[in-house]
């Protein structure tokens, strides 16, 4: 139940991204059953590569904790982390990642590869996948469906 509660908070973050025409991906970081940081995609708004939901949440948690180490924290994210975010998760020593939808194009928590559990690194992360998977996936599918429809309508009107 706790995983679902925090994933719902991540979904709310994803919806904020969608409202400003960003890919609707959201993240929250929990420590001692409390949300200490949130983030949502801002890549289009900021035009910076590093503006993924997970990285924004990690930076906020670092500031609040006064440390780069997030050892007893859990990251909840609506989409499986990409290689860049997986690297940041490992480097921040996050203990656990919970994600909703799998990412067949860039997923590095088990879909394409599993960077988070690779024993060659000095830190491994516990992973729980598929929490509110349908709802997380629907957010993305609906967003891209609307985007394609808008592009099609724009092409027709030209």
């Amino acid at each position: 139940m706790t995983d679902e509660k925090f994933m719902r908070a991540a979904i709310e973050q994803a919806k904020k991204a969608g409202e400003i025409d960003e890919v609707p991906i959201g993240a929250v970081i929990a420590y001692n059953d409390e949300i200490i940081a949130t983030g949502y995609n801002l890549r289009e708004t900021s035009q910076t590569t590093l503006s993924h939901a997970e990285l924004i949440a990690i930076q906020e948690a670092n500031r609040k904790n006064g440390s780069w180490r997030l050892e007893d924290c859990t990251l909840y994210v609506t989409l499986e982390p990409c290689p860049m975010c997986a690297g940041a998760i490992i480097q921040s020593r996050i203990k656990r990642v919970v994600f909703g939808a799998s990412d067949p194009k860039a997923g590095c928590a088990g879909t394409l590869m599993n960077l988070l559990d690779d024993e060659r690194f000095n830190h491994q992360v516990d992973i729980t996948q598929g929490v509110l998977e349908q709802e997380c996936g629907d957010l993305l599918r609906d967003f891209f469906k609307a985007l394609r429809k808008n592009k099609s309508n724009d092409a027709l009107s030209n």
Side-chain angles (χ1 to χ4, degrees):
M1 190 57 149
T2 301
D3 283 349
E4 286 187 10
K5 175 181 100 173
F6 289 122
M7 186 60 74
R8 290 199 187 289
I11 288 169
E12 288 308 310
Q13 292 297 307
K15 288 177 181 177
K16 289 180 183 180
E19 288 169 6
I20 57 171
D21 294 327
E22 291 280 352
V23 177
I25 299 168
V28 300
I29 296 178
Y31 175 74
N32 285 341
D33 273 342
E34 218 173 283
I35 294 173
I36 63 165
T38 62
Y40 54 87
N41 262 15
L42 286 171
R43 199 163 55 167
E44 294 300 325
T45 301
S46 69
Q47 288 298 302
T48 59
T49 305
L50 302 177
S51 295
H52 283 203
E54 299 96 318
L55 299 183
I56 291 167
I58 287 170
Q59 288 179 326
E60 183 180 330
N62 292 152
R63 280 192 299 275
K64 284 189 178 172
N65 274 4
S67 174
W68 62 269
R69 289 182 178 91
L70 302 174
E71 292 168 327
D72 293 318
C73 294
T74 299
L75 170 72
Y76 294 85
V77 62
T78 56
L79 182 66
E80 181 179 2
C82 73
M84 175 178 68
C85 293
I89 290 163
I90 292 165
Q91 290 298 313
S92 67
R93 307 298 193 267
I94 286 175
K95 183 176 186 171
R96 182 169 173 247
V97 168
V98 178
F99 69 87
S102 296
D103 185 350
K105 294 183 178 180
C108 285
T111 298
L112 295 180
M113 63 183 68
N114 193 342
L115 292 176
L116 298 179
D117 195 29
D118 192 315
E119 292 185 4
R120 295 174 292 182
F121 293 120
N122 64 338
H123 178 73
Q124 288 77 44
V125 181
D126 295 329
I127 302 165
T128 301
Q129 63 185 47
V131 174
L132 300 179
E133 182 175 13
Q134 184 70 43
E135 196 170 335
C136 293
D138 286 348
L139 274 175
L140 290 160
R141 277 186 289 280
D142 293 348
F143 175 82
F144 285 112
K145 184 178 179 181
L147 193 65
R148 285 189 298 273
K149 183 179 179 184
N150 288 341
K151 283 185 179 180
S152 175
N153 288 342
D154 289 346
L156 292 175
S157 64
N158 287 333

